[in-house]
Amino acid sequence: MLNLKHIPSTKLFTSEPNPSWFGNPPNTPQSPHWDARSSNWLKSRFHFSFAEYSNPRNSNFGVLRVMNDDFVQPSRGFGTHGHADMEIVTYVVEGWLTHKDSMGTEESLGPGSVQFMTAGSGIRHSEYNDSDERGLRFIQSWIVPRKRGLKPNYGSFDPIGSGSCSVRNEWRHLVSDVQNVSVKTPVEIEQDANLYVAEMDAGQSLSFEVSKNRMAYILCVDGSVKVTSGSSEVGLGRHDGCEVTPDNVSNGAELLFRTGDDMPAHVLMFEMEYTGGIAGRTDF
């Protein structure tokens, strides 16, 4: 059996930074295209300690260091800034994300797309919502790489171009370890970590086998889903997270995901090696 710990969205730190901090003009909530979900240019939910949210009891989950659930208003974004020694994985939920970096990369990615940056020895980039009519939502996660000083790298996957955008009710394995030759995924990073995504219709179920000495972090992107392992069950709603750890590292166990008869779900899950000593979050 696996240990399941519910991380409710109501307990997440919500950041709404000053527009000028990232080179944005003042907020214009009176604009006809300003999305009512936020009165600020950015609304970000932090699953782990980040930026102005400093919490030593919630600094990471294994090699998963950051998971930010970001909503960006039209014609707003993050001006050019730098990163180093981190694997950065971004999953686009809605809208279009325009990326530019110091390696000369420039592209826009739509819903279901995933991009990564090996920041390594240093990289600068910007992220922007170029649309003047529609908001942008994306999940950005940082993963600690296996070593420092790696050569910077960038890659992405667009499901529309691949013809896989209509896949539903099954796991899409989007990210894996570049050193794992047993699997082939659209994106490969410098760490033993995997990203899976599933869009489930109402009244559906999916299973996932967590191998021995492995753990996972689940995000309910949209909708609602029940997650079960043995006699343990948690119900997740939009923005909720769930920590999955083994009660016995020598055994694997199955996770079962079930949607209700009237509600679909969009689920994202990082799976990785169990690092042990996960103390849990005492403020959740």
Side-chain angles (χ1 to χ4, degrees):
M1 192 175 74
L2 297 162
N3 301 311
L4 308 179
K5 183 167 186 176
H6 183 202
I7 309 299
S9 63
T10 53
K11 296 291 187 178
L12 300 177
F13 182 90
T14 301
S15 174
E16 298 184 88
N18 188 303
S20 65
W21 293 357
F22 293 93
N24 290 279
N27 292 322
T28 55
Q30 71 279 2
S31 166
H33 299 301
W34 196 266
D35 196 293
R37 280 176 283 182
S38 175
S39 60
N40 195 48
W41 75 277
L42 169 68
K43 187 169 187 175
S44 185
R45 292 171 172 85
F46 297 163
H47 283 253
F48 304 100
S49 184
F50 183 80
E52 71 269 34
Y53 169 50
S54 179
N55 182 353
R57 299 187 304 275
N58 184 26
S59 61
N60 66 290
F61 182 74
V63 296
L64 183 59
R65 173 62 188 86
V66 166
M67 181 181 280
N68 293 348
D69 189 339
D70 292 344
F71 178 78
V72 183
Q73 293 285 3
S75 302
R76 299 296 193 275
F78 300 85
T80 302
H81 57 284
H83 296 287
D85 291 323
M86 199 65 66
E87 299 293 282
I88 300 175
V89 176
T90 303
Y91 177 75
V92 182
V93 179
E94 61 178 282
W96 289 80
L97 172 66
T98 297
H99 165 97
K100 298 179 183 180
D101 64 42
S102 54
M103 295 183 294
T105 309
E106 181 175 346
E107 67 174 346
S108 295
L109 296 167
S113 298
V114 61
Q115 64 166 210
F116 84 97
M117 289 194 307
T118 294
S121 58
I123 190 171
R124 293 180 63 78
H125 78 136
S126 63
E127 299 161 294
Y128 210 77
N129 179 8
D130 273 334
S131 172
D132 58 7
E133 297 183 353
R134 184 175 179 183
L136 162 69
R137 184 182 171 203
F138 60 91
I139 313 300
Q140 184 166 103
S141 302
W142 295 9
I143 298 168
V144 180
R146 56 172 44 93
K147 61 181 180 180
R148 299 172 64 88
L150 293 166
K151 181 181 178 181
N153 192 20
Y154 175 87
S156 64
F157 168 69
D158 178 1
I160 296 175
S162 73
S164 63
C165 57
S166 61
V167 175
R168 301 186 64 84
N169 302 311
E170 64 181 66
W171 291 110
R172 288 182 286 155
H173 192 180
L174 297 180
V175 178
S176 64
D177 182 0
V178 69
Q179 295 188 9
N180 183 359
V181 297
S182 66
V183 298
K184 186 65 177 177
T185 58
V187 168
E188 297 175 335
I189 60 172
E190 291 285 353
Q191 184 53 273
D192 180 10
N194 297 278
L195 171 62
Y196 297 86
V197 173
E199 294 181 75
M200 302 174 63
D201 295 324
Q204 296 292 315
S205 64
L206 276 177
S207 63
F208 185 91
E209 184 70 22
V210 179
S211 299
K212 65 179 182 179
N213 203 35
R214 307 290 290 183
M215 63 185 191
Y217 192 87
I218 301 165
L219 169 66
C220 182
V221 178
D222 276 315
S224 64
V225 65
K226 288 185 178 180
V227 184
T228 306
S229 176
S231 59
S232 298
E233 181 177 89
V234 297
L236 304 180
R238 191 183 197 199
H239 303 301
D240 287 358
C242 180
E243 295 177 353
V244 181
T245 54
D247 63 354
N248 185 333
V249 296
S250 298
N251 298 323
E254 183 184 59
L255 283 173
L256 180 63
F257 296 75
R258 292 179 290 120
T259 54
D261 292 337
D262 59 351
M263 178 71 75
H266 191 170
V267 181
L268 178 152
M269 177 171 59
F270 277 98
E271 183 268 357
M272 68 208 84
E273 182 180 7
Y274 178 60
T275 53
I278 303 297
R281 305 181 219 190
T282 57
D283 50 352
F284 281 84

